Amino acid sequence: MNIIDALYGGQYSELENKGYDVQKGRFYGNLLFTAIILIYLFIVIIVLNFISEDILDDLTKPLQSVFGRSMGKAASQIVAIPLIVIIYLVVALLFGSKKRYEKSYQTFSKATKEEKDKVSGKLIGIFIVGLLLLVILAISSLFL
């Protein structure tokens, strides 16, 4: 069993145990996986900015030509919302399809409790490490 199976299988299992619609687990799993991808994408961007500020300037140059020097909240929403939608659609098509979701649950349900706990712990660890690293890098970027 891999982390993807734990993500989707765990969602399915939890919703089934509580008597909710198990198909919502696919959506929740896709959202969580999208969030994890976005966290690590932002970490990469921050690290690239630490290495060279010119890299970030090259990435934002097309936006500066449209919005001018004061790229504010509206500009960030114009960029962030399509980025989130694109990543979500890629995740939903590649990992969170209905067939893959059912297969993940089958794999998850056949695993032993120890294996489920181990892989679920890795998934939680990946999320928490990414989130902490993002917060630490974001805060440290304010002082550098």
Side-chain angles (χ1 to χ4, degrees), residues 60-72 75:
T60 60
K61 196 174 286 188
L63 295 174
Q64 287 178 352
S65 65
V66 174
F67 295 104
R69 285 301 228 183
S70 60
M71 294 186 344

Side-chain angles (χ1 to χ4, degrees):
M1 179 169 64
N2 60 30
I3 293 173
I4 303 296
D5 292 333
L7 174 67
Y8 290 107
Q11 293 291 325
Y12 189 107
S13 178
E14 282 294 318
L15 290 173
E16 185 178 51
N17 291 342
K18 293 179 181 179
Y20 296 122
D21 180 19
V22 294
Q23 291 307 314
K24 289 182 181 180
R26 191 171 128 227
F27 174 70
Y28 299 148
N30 288 343
L31 282 179
L32 181 58
F33 196 36
T34 300
I36 291 170
I37 291 171
L38 283 171
I39 286 170
Y40 283 96
L41 178 67
F42 291 145
I43 289 171
V44 167
I45 291 171
I46 291 172
V47 168
L48 287 175
N49 191 42
F50 281 151
I51 294 171
S52 172
E53 290 182 20
D54 295 335
I55 293 172
L56 192 58
D57 289 339
D58 291 341
L59 288 174
T60 60
K61 196 174 286 188
L63 295 174
Q64 287 178 352
S65 65
V66 174
F67 295 104
R69 285 301 228 183
S70 60
M71 294 186 344
K73 184 178 177 182
S76 64
Q77 289 175 347
I78 290 172
V79 173
I81 291 171
L83 180 66
I84 292 169
V85 169
I86 290 169
I87 292 173
Y88 179 83
L89 289 174
V90 168
V91 165
L93 293 173
L94 294 179
F95 302 102
S97 67
K98 188 171 184 172
K99 183 178 177 182
R100 174 77 172 136
Y101 179 62
E102 296 290 332
K103 185 179 175 187
S104 291
Y105 174 68
Q106 299 287 331
T107 305
F108 186 80
S109 64
K110 291 177 185 174
T112 64
K113 175 143 177 57
E114 293 81 26
E115 189 177 12
K116 288 178 187 177
D117 291 343
K118 182 180 176 185
V119 176
S120 295
K122 285 182 185 178
L123 178 64
I124 292 169
I126 288 171
F127 181 76
I128 297 219
V129 165
L131 196 58
L132 287 174
L133 191 58
L134 180 63
V135 169
I136 290 168
L137 288 173
I139 290 172
S140 65
S141 70
L142 294 173
F143 299 108
L144 297 178

